[in-house]
Amino acid sequence: SLGANGPILGPTLIIEQGVKVSWSVMNGLTESTTMHWHGMHVSPANDGGPHSIIDPGETWNPQFTVLDEAGTYWYHPHLHMMTDMHVSKGIAGQIWVRDAEELALPLPRTYGEDEFPIVLQTKAFNAAGDIIAHSNSDTLLCVNATYDAHLSVPASVVRLHLLNGSSQRVFYVGRSGDAPFHLMATDGGLLTEAVELTRLRLAPGERAEVLVDCSDL
């Protein structure tokens, strides 16, 4: 497995609109990579696409002002022909942008208590237990890089930031017994009003924020 600031996946970055960020991305791999801020409005020099190669042992220092409205974004390598390999092995994490409109709403907003990142990925493994990419055998579903994941939540409304971090799987997300939940944001940010659903389809790279009422559980 690979990760950012850890053995697999990476920390959730919570930033406010209008803030200037300066990140140091050190490549500790034995091969080249990049780091891309998926969905964010940044200049080509700071975007981390295939042209912004970070060689092993080198550090890249992107700097930009956060122009985006509130929403869920994510970061991952974007090296030509290697994106699937690096992301499947675990280099990925969420970015939450806050803005004045979002902060004015009565939403769950305490990380790890009533607001959680949910990274959905399927995995395939070789005989040695290593994650492999480019495989149609990636049928083991992991949530936040954990098989058969469980999460204890308060008896209240919780906010989940969903990310389909898989390369080729589409997920239909829902609750047992088709219990309802509310979609409050998509890749484009906050909706005008929340929409009640029983199922939500997420394509690769797609994000959504949902509210789940757990007060009666």
Side-chain angles (χ1 to χ4, degrees):
S1 66
L2 302 174
N5 285 31
I8 190 167
L9 295 184
T12 300
L13 307 176
I14 305 177
I15 51 182
E16 292 188 13
Q17 184 184 49
V19 170
K20 184 173 182 179
V21 296
S22 176
W23 287 328
S24 293
V25 185
M26 193 278 285
N27 181 6
L29 306 178
T30 57
E31 57 197 27
S32 298
T33 190
T34 78
M35 190 60 77
H36 171 59
W37 322 109
H38 191 128
M40 299 193 72
H41 185 182
V42 300
S43 66
N46 293 291
D47 183 60
H51 56 283
S52 299
I53 295 174
I54 314 170
D55 290 324
E58 289 190 350
T59 297
W60 179 53
N61 180 220
Q63 301 178 52
F64 56 88
T65 299
V66 178
L67 303 175
D68 302 278
E69 296 180 346
T72 302
Y73 308 85
W74 66 302
Y75 60 93
H76 61 80
H78 210 322
L79 187 65
H80 183 56
M81 301 297 292
M82 292 297 291
T83 299
D84 179 37
M85 177 67 72
H86 288 167
V87 176
S88 294
K89 288 196 172 186
I91 308 178
Q94 292 193 7
I95 302 172
W96 301 352
V97 175
R98 312 283 203 197
D99 66 9
E101 180 183 8
E102 189 270 345
L103 289 169
L105 297 173
L107 294 169
R109 199 176 286 107
T110 305
Y111 181 91
E113 293 186 17
D114 58 13
E115 186 178 23
F116 305 93
I118 303 292
V119 180
L120 304 169
Q121 293 178 304
T122 52
K123 301 292 183 187
F125 297 88
N126 61 21
D130 298 319
I131 298 171
I132 57 176
H134 313 304
S135 170
N136 289 326
S137 63
D138 62 331
T139 56
L140 186 68
L141 178 63
C142 293
V143 180
N144 295 352
T146 304
Y147 174 66
D148 194 22
H150 293 77
L151 175 67
S152 296
V153 300
S156 63
V157 174
V158 298
R159 179 178 175 184
L160 306 179
H161 294 249
L162 305 175
L163 162 65
N164 182 347
S166 292
S167 60
Q168 57 184 340
R169 302 298 180 187
V170 175
F171 297 117
Y172 289 84
V173 181
R175 299 178 63 188
S176 299
D178 282 338
F181 59 94
H182 286 83
L183 175 68
M184 58 160 283
T186 65
D187 288 0
L190 297 173
L191 300 180
T192 304
E193 59 182 38
V195 178
E196 184 174 299
L197 300 173
T198 58
R199 282 292 181 274
L200 174 65
R201 183 173 66 179
L202 286 178
E206 193 172 4
R207 292 90 62 205
E209 295 179 40
V210 299
L211 299 173
V212 182
D213 188 354
C214 300
S215 59
D216 60 347
L217 302 179

